[in-house]
Amino acid sequence: MHRAFPAFSSLLILLTFATRPAAAFEGRSFGRDGLWRIVHGICAPVSRVTGVALPCLAVDHDKGSATLRAPDDDTHIIVTPLEKVSGVESPSLLRTDAPNYWADAWSQRDWVVQGAGQQLRWNDLGMAVNSRPGRSQDQLHIHVDCVQPTVRKALAHAVNGQKSWFDLDLRPSAGLYRARRLKEGDLDQNIFRMVATEVPHARDDMARQTIAMIGVEDAKYGRGFILLVAGNGGHAEELLDHQCHVARG
């Protein structure tokens, strides 16, 4: 019993920090490996033994991913691999057999709806991965949340008639991006590999790429996404609205 106590005590400490606002994701208490320690050290083993994902929202061992709610944000969720993947720069993401983390993240969007407390439209939602300089955690994680209202409006106008990559200026609410319209079924593709192969110079400097997938829907083209990429070391998370004003308007 005494030999088991240190491990049990450590688990309680980790659970305490995991449920404290910002502790796991902003690097204040755990450093840049905080997210990995929560998922790998608590969520995955606890869910495997008990079937309970706490402090995560969900753990899918078959798909190899976990879902967490970001501290202090009702609608902001984070989807991350169960295996160690450093971030957008990881070479493993470009393999032809790489897991489809973007599709996994989009499948978890009902947690955003639950946090909003009301139904949200397809084009109210988006996903983002920050660049290496623009993130606080060195474990790949996809942010899923509502979309900034100004961004949603700008995208609705910008995509008309666009069939390939184009430049998109979202200032002052966000930055400069390369953008491409995708069909709903295109989410089955490897989005990281698409960026690496189609965006000039991206493959040579994946660490500085920040990527977003924003839901769009219209009568002509139906449901789809706008893929947005910037190679400036920024954070496409700026396109998301962690206050989810669309649910409060």
Side-chain angles (χ1 to χ4, degrees):
M1 179 69 178
H2 290 292
R3 274 181 285 181
F5 180 76
F8 181 70
S9 178
S10 296
L11 179 59
L12 287 178
I13 292 171
L14 283 172
L15 281 169
T16 299
F17 277 104
T19 53
R20 282 175 54 191
F25 307 107
E26 293 187 1
R28 295 175 184 173
S29 299
F30 281 150
R32 294 182 69 89
D33 65 342
L35 176 59
W36 169 247
R37 291 170 63 188
I38 292 296
V39 172
H40 177 73
I42 304 178
C43 296
V46 168
S47 69
R48 189 177 289 111
V49 174
T50 69
V52 178
L54 189 73
C56 292
L57 295 171
V59 176
D60 191 323
H61 292 279
D62 293 329
K63 292 183 178 180
S65 62
T67 304
L68 306 85
R69 193 176 302 282
D72 290 340
D73 293 322
D74 292 337
T75 58
H76 180 193
I77 67 167
I78 292 170
V79 180
T80 185
L82 295 180
E83 66 176 352
K84 186 61 179 173
V85 182
S86 60
V88 65
E89 73 279 8
S90 176
S92 65
L93 297 175
L94 304 185
R95 296 195 320 249
T96 55
D97 62 344
N100 192 336
Y101 295 120
W102 289 97
D104 292 346
W106 192 247
S107 73
Q108 297 298 301
R109 65 189 183 278
D110 280 350
W111 291 109
V112 179
V113 176
Q114 183 189 87
Q118 66 178 62
Q119 288 299 313
L120 298 172
R121 297 169 298 177
W122 179 278
N123 57 356
D124 289 330
L125 300 166
M127 305 180 284
V129 168
N130 296 327
S131 69
R132 184 175 182 179
R135 69 182 189 235
S136 66
Q137 294 296 302
D138 289 328
Q139 169 66 7
L140 176 70
H141 53 287
I142 299 178
H143 301 268
V144 188
D145 207 343
C146 301
V147 178
Q148 291 281 1
T150 54
V151 170
R152 187 176 64 251
K153 291 178 182 178
L155 291 180
H157 294 294
V159 297
N160 290 333
Q162 299 288 351
K163 297 182 179 180
S164 59
W165 288 97
F166 60 97
D167 293 325
L168 184 59
D169 187 346
L170 294 175
R171 294 175 297 185
S173 58
L176 299 170
Y177 287 86
R178 291 285 291 165
R180 178 186 168 185
R181 173 80 184 240
L182 299 179
K183 299 177 181 177
E184 181 179 355
D186 289 333
L187 190 60
D188 293 336
Q189 300 184 49
N190 185 329
I191 301 301
F192 291 109
R193 189 177 179 87
M194 182 184 296
V195 171
T197 56
E198 295 186 12
V199 176
H201 313 298
R203 193 183 194 110
D204 297 331
D205 197 8
M206 285 298 290
R208 293 187 61 79
Q209 306 304 312
T210 184
I211 307 169
M213 292 276 283
I214 306 298
V216 290
E217 183 174 15
D218 56 51
K220 184 176 181 180
Y221 297 104
R223 286 180 170 179
F225 300 92
I226 299 297
L227 171 58
L228 299 109
V229 184
N232 58 0
H235 51 284
E237 190 183 350
E238 67 179 355
L239 305 175
L240 304 181
D241 176 15
H242 296 324
Q243 301 302 312
C244 196
H245 288 91
V246 67
R248 294 164 172 76

